Amino acid sequence: MINREWHLLSRPVGWPKPEDFALVEAEVPTPGEGQVLVRNKYLSVDPYMRGRMSAAKSYTAPFELGKVMQGGAVGEVVESNAEGIAVGDHLLHFFGWREYAVVRAESAVKVDADAAPLSTYLGVLGMTGLTAYAGLLRTASFKEGDSVFVSGAAGAVGSQVGQIAKLKGASRVIGSAGSDEKVKLLVEEYGFDAAFNYKSGKVSDQLREAAPDGVDIYFDNVGGDHLEAAIGSLNQGGRIAVCGMISVYNNTEAAPGPRNLARLIQTRGRIEGFLVGDHYDLQPEFVSEVGPWVASGALKYRETVVEGIENNLEAFLGVLRGDNTGKMIVKL
């Protein structure tokens, strides 16, 4: 049996190029004691993976050159040498970018394919969903009546942030996105009060028009001009939760910082970055609250599905370009 897997050959400078990667054929591995062999069914591609392709010191180790990359995946157990896990069980784990993976039992989580589609455990009920939940409620200290601005609002995290804010009693939710179609989706399907296409004009001007009374919370997925605009519209005591800054991930030189940081003195505002890995204690609360919303349709989600392991790289590049609506998923 052949296992196809994606290797990183060289560290990208600027935008990743196809020649930085290779789809390699290898033997399907055999699980040892306490391990299982999983046939992956769905793979996740996410913006943070761009950082792991660089050698720069960060919050997690970079991908190793010449070796298979990693990422979220969900699949079916086809061989088990681990107590408590049977052939046919479905597991969520972190050995994506490949068709088959050997996984240690303690590093995987069983998921129920009957309770929800398997792909949702990579998105709305998985890491991206928990990111939205923790960033909004804990890092940004959301409270009923807050006005919330979300950048990258049609993405997997942003779309969930806006909807959770509405379900929790936000006074107004504003989103930015990169196309008129996504703007329409935010307002008509996800229930945002207002949204704008950041490509259609100056972000600060469009935000002031959409939120004339300012914003109490900014959930940042983009950085750059969005962050500067949010600081300019921040109300007294406003909070900014920095989840990602996709606008600068492929820069070869450091991007200039916001020019209006001094306004935080006037507003007594704060900016705080966060990583979802620091908030896994919220997982039970997250599932118990968000799961019923998803099941009832109160919280809606979209997935952009790309077929085939051979298209895993293109799906990842699509995330960096903003091609996806909702969570980008690779189906094997």
Side-chain angles (χ1 to χ4, degrees), residues 30-145:
T30 300
E33 187 68 28
Q35 297 180 330
V36 297
L37 177 64
V38 179
R39 181 175 65 239
N40 288 332
K41 291 192 170 185
Y42 294 94
L43 307 177
S44 178
V45 286
D46 302 281
Y48 79 87
M49 294 174 176
R50 177 61 184 87
R52 295 197 67 190
M53 293 172 187
S54 300
K57 185 177 180 180
S58 186
Y59 59 87
T60 189
F63 292 134
E64 294 185 59
L65 293 179
K67 294 188 177 181
V68 62
M69 294 183 289
Q70 297 175 336
V74 64
E76 182 179 356
V77 176
V78 294
E79 187 177 346
S80 177
N81 284 327
E83 187 176 345
I85 299 180
V87 171
D89 284 347
H90 293 94
L91 298 183
L92 174 66
H93 61 89
F94 205 67
F95 295 92
W97 289 85
R98 70 200 83 188
E99 292 176 306
Y100 290 86
V102 164
V103 180
R104 292 201 63 80
E106 63 268 21
S107 67
V109 177
K110 279 188 183 181
V111 295
D112 187 350
D114 296 324
L118 286 176
S119 60
T120 62
Y121 294 105
L122 296 174
V124 67
L125 294 178
M127 184 180 72
T128 54
L130 181 59
T131 300
Y133 190 86
L136 177 68
L137 301 183
R138 177 176 280 175
T139 306
S141 304
F142 172 86
K143 61 183 183 297
E144 186 176 353

Side-chain angles (χ1 to χ4, degrees), residues 152-156 159 175-190 192 194-199 302 304 318-319 321-326 328:
S159 60
S176 72
S179 72
D180 292 340
E181 292 77 14
K182 290 180 179 180
V183 167
K184 183 178 180 181
L185 172 71
L186 292 176
V187 175
E188 296 185 0
E189 185 168 331
Y190 293 158
F192 283 56
F196 59 85
N197 183 346
Y198 66 84
K199 298 176 182 177
R302 291 281 189 96
T304 300
V319 170
R321 292 191 299 262
D323 294 350
N324 56 303
T325 299
M328 180 73 89

